[in-house]
Amino acid sequence: IRNPYVLMIAEALMRIGSFLITNFPFLFVIRLVSVKGGGAATNISGLAGYAAFLVMTMFFTKTNLQATAYSSIFGISIASSSVEALSTTTHYPLQTGVIGAIFVSLITVSSYKRSRGRSQYGFFAFIDRDAYCVIRTVFFCCLSGIATALLWPYLLSGLQQILNFIAADTTNPINLTLYGVLDRFMSVLNLNTLTRQPFWYGADGGTWINNVGGSIAGDVNIWAKQLAAGSLTGMAGRFITPYYVLNLFAAPGMIWAVYSLKTDLIDRRRTRLFFILATIVSLFSGTLLPLELVLFLLCPLLFLMHLAYTGVLFGVFQAMHVYLGFNYTGTSTITAMPGTLMEFLSYLNNPTLRHTLIVVAVVGVVSFFVYFLMTQLYFRHLAVDLFKVGDTDRMVAGTIKAVGGLTNIKMIHSSAAVLTVQVFDPNLMDIQRLKELGASRITDTKAGYAISYGAASTMVRMGMNKSMRDSIRQVRS
C-alpha cells in the first residue's frame, strides 16, 4: 500500500493504540476509581495520586537498574537536580505497570470512603471532603511510591534469576514453556518489556554472524536480518511462533465460544457483528491483551488454563523445531504485534517455510477447538463451586426466591456475564437479595431483568432450568 492517506490513517491509529497500551495502567486507575468511587472527586484524586506515586519512584529508586525498569510515563523525568545522586543523567519513574495502578486505585477508593465520613467540625474544617480526599490520596501514594521504589529492585532480582534460567538453554522445551507462561502473565501486568527485551533484542535470544562478519543479537533481530538476506537458518523465531496460533486460531475460538454461550437468539443476532469484528481484529492485530485482561479480572481459573496452554505451545514448537519469527525492525516490545494474518500470508511465497506454515496451521486448528471447548467447559461447569462447597446451589435457590419463585419465571436466558430473567409479576422481585447474592448490576430491559452475575451467569441459568424441569416432573407425577 502506497496511498499517502491510507498510510497517514494507519500511522495515526498506530499512535493512538500505542498511547492506550503504554498508558493502560493510568486508564486502569481512572476506570476502577470511577466505578468504586464518586466520579470527579475520585478521578482527580486518582490522577494526582498516580503522578505522586510515579514521582516518588523516580526520586527514591536505585539508579543502577536495567534500562527496561524505567519508563517516561506522561513525560515525567528529571534531567537536573540539586540531589547529587540524580544530577548526572536523566532519570525516569519506575515502570510498575498494573501493580502500581492497583496500589493507587486502592488508596484512592479508601481515601474517598474515609472522606465521606469525615466530620465537618474541627481544626481543619475549612478543607472540604473532596479536597481531603485528594490530599489523603496524594500523601499515601507518596508513601506507596517510596516503598515500591525500595522493594522493586528485589522483585526485579527474582525475575532476573528466572530469565537467567530460561536463557541458560533456550533449546530446552521446558525453558520455552516457562518463558511462554511468564511472557503472557507479564503482558497482563503491562511489564512484558522486562521479559521480552533480553530475548527479542539481547544475547539471551541468541546471536548470529551475518555474511560480513557482523554479530546480530536477539531473536527478532536475527529473524528480520536473515529474512532480508534470504538465509533463514531455522533457529530464530522460537519466541514468536505460538503467537500465530494464539492470534489466528485460539483467540477466535474463545471469542466464538463466548458467543455460543448466548441463549437468546435475538441477542445473538444483535451482537453478531461485534464478534465478527473482534475476530477480524484478532486476525490482523491480535486481541490477546484485552481478552487476557477480562480473564485475569473476571475468570482467573480460565486465565490460568490459558497461561498453561500458551506455555505448552512454546514447548511443543521448540520440541518440534518449528519456528516462525517476527519481521519487525522496531524496538517497542509493548506495542509490537507479532503473529498477525498479514505476516503469516507474507511467508507463503517462501518455500523454506512451507512445512512450518502447515504445522502452525494444523496446531492452530486444533487450538481453535481446544479454546472453544475449554471456554465452554469453564462457564458451564467450573465458574463457581469448583470444589463442591454448594455455592451454585445457594445462588440458584437464592435467585429463584429473589425473582418471586419458579411460578413467577416466564423465561430465562444467559450469556457469559449476564443472567436475564423475564417474570410475570415484577413486584415480586427482591433486588436487594440479588445484590447480596453477588449481582453487580440489575437492569430492567425489554428482554427482562438483566442480572450481572459475571462468570457464574451460565451455571445459575442451568441450575434454574433444572429446578424448573424438576418442578414440572413433580407436578406431573
Side-chain angles (χ1 to χ4, degrees):
I1 299 175
R2 294 290 182 266
N3 187 291
Y5 297 104
V6 174
L7 295 176
M8 181 174 62
I9 293 173
E11 290 201 14
L13 292 175
M14 288 174 62
R15 298 300 185 276
I16 295 172
S18 175
F19 176 85
L20 293 175
I21 295 174
T22 303
N23 297 294
F24 170 75
F26 171 70
L27 302 177
F28 179 85
V29 170
I30 296 300
R31 172 60 178 167
L32 186 59
V33 300
S34 297
V35 173
K36 299 293 184 179
T42 51
N43 287 341
I44 295 173
S45 298
L47 173 61
Y50 191 61
F53 177 86
L54 294 176
V55 170
M56 290 300 105
T57 63
M58 180 174 61
F59 274 91
F60 286 90
T61 192
K62 291 183 177 180
T63 58
N64 59 347
L65 302 178
Q66 60 263 45
T68 53
Y70 310 96
S71 179
S72 178
I73 306 171
F74 291 140
I76 297 176
S77 63
I78 180 169
S80 61
S81 173
S82 57
V83 180
E84 184 177 353
L86 302 175
S87 61
T88 54
T89 59
T90 302
H91 296 273
Y92 301 98
L94 277 176
Q95 173 59 278
T96 58
V98 172
I99 296 177
I102 292 175
F103 292 160
V104 173
S105 300
L106 293 176
I107 292 171
T108 304
V109 173
S110 173
S111 297
Y112 176 77
K113 291 180 178 179
R114 291 291 296 271
S115 68
R116 298 307 97 176
R118 180 173 175 270
S119 173
Q120 297 183 0
Y121 303 96
F123 188 74
F124 294 103
F126 59 90
I127 302 177
D128 65 15
R129 291 177 176 178
D130 290 345
Y132 176 77
C133 177
V134 175
I135 295 171
R136 192 177 189 277
T137 299
V138 170
F139 174 75
F140 283 102
C141 283
C142 285
L143 295 182
S144 178
I146 295 172
T148 301
L150 298 177
L151 297 176
W152 202 252
Y154 298 100
L155 186 148
L156 294 180
S157 176
L159 176 63
Q160 189 59 49
Q161 291 182 19
I162 299 175
L163 297 179
N164 290 340
F165 173 80
I166 296 172
D169 185 7
T170 56
T171 62
N172 188 331
I174 300 300
N175 292 29
L176 266 293
T177 298
L178 178 59
Y179 171 83
V181 173
L182 185 64
D183 179 67
R184 295 321 307 158
F185 181 71
M186 296 297 283
S187 293
V188 171
L189 297 180
N190 206 244
L191 295 171
N192 58 355
T193 295
L194 298 172
T195 54
R196 287 183 171 182
Q197 190 73 28
F199 295 98
W200 284 23
Y201 302 110
D204 289 348
T207 57
W208 175 66
I209 306 299
N210 60 19
N211 295 332
V212 295
S215 179
I216 310 298
D219 187 81
V220 172
N221 281 337
I222 293 173
W223 178 272
K225 296 296 183 183
Q226 288 184 351
L227 191 65
S231 59
L232 292 173
T233 62
M235 295 301 294
R238 69 188 66 199
F239 295 96
I240 301 297
T241 313
Y243 285 104
Y244 291 96
V245 173
L246 293 172
N247 288 332
L248 305 185
F249 301 96
M254 182 174 291
I255 290 170
W256 287 102
V258 171
Y259 174 81
S260 70
L261 292 171
K262 292 177 175 290
T263 59
D264 188 340
L265 297 180
I266 296 177
D267 188 37
R268 279 194 180 189
R269 289 195 294 268
R270 183 176 61 84
T271 58
R272 186 178 299 156
L273 179 60
F274 167 79
F275 285 90
I276 293 174
L277 292 175
T279 303
I280 293 174
V281 171
S282 180
L283 296 176
F284 286 92
S285 62
T287 56
L288 278 181
L289 182 59
L291 279 177
E292 288 169 342
L293 288 170
V294 171
L295 298 183
F296 180 70
L297 296 173
L298 302 179
C299 315
L301 177 60
L302 186 56
F303 176 70
L304 292 177
M305 295 165 68
H306 162 67
L307 285 186
Y309 193 85
T310 299
V312 168
L313 284 177
F314 274 88
V316 166
F317 281 126
Q318 176 56 43
M320 298 172 64
H321 301 289
V322 172
Y323 309 123
L324 193 63
F326 186 23
N327 188 18
Y328 179 59
T329 56
T331 58
S332 174
T333 55
I334 293 181
T335 58
M337 299 181 295
T340 62
L341 178 62
M342 296 305 293
E343 184 161 12
F344 185 85
L345 295 177
S346 72
Y347 296 138
L348 292 178
N349 294 327
N350 192 323
T352 62
L353 295 175
R354 190 165 299 150
H355 172 72
T356 298
L357 296 175
I358 293 174
V359 173
V360 170
V362 171
V363 174
V365 172
V366 173
S367 299
F368 176 91
F369 290 105
V370 168
Y371 267 69
F372 187 91
L373 296 175
M374 184 171 68
T375 303
Q376 284 210 335
L377 173 67
Y378 173 80
F379 282 102
R380 291 179 181 276
H381 302 287
L382 304 178
V384 282
D385 212 12
L386 179 61
F387 300 104
K388 304 299 180 184
V389 294
D391 285 345
T392 304
D393 293 338
R394 284 195 292 270
M395 288 189 70
V396 170
T399 304
I400 291 174
K401 187 175 181 179
V403 299
L406 293 175
T407 56
N408 195 42
I409 298 175
K410 184 178 182 180
M411 188 178 296
I412 308 174
H413 287 296
S414 68
S415 63
V418 178
L419 173 72
T420 303
V421 182
Q422 291 184 10
V423 296
F424 291 104
D425 186 359
N427 295 322
L428 298 178
M429 291 285 295
D430 188 346
I431 303 300
Q432 184 59 37
R433 184 174 181 82
L434 290 173
K435 291 181 179 180
E436 292 173 356
L437 288 169
S440 59
R441 181 189 305 173
I442 299 99
T443 307
D444 188 4
T445 67
K446 293 181 179 179
Y449 283 92
I451 307 167
S452 299
Y453 272 148
S457 300
T458 298
M459 292 185 66
V460 173
R461 191 260 308 166
M462 293 171 63
M464 293 176 70
N465 280 336
K466 183 178 182 300
S467 296
M468 293 176 69
R469 291 193 300 269
D470 292 343
S471 177
I472 293 174
R473 290 194 191 100
Q474 291 176 3
V475 172
R476 289 178 177 176
S477 61

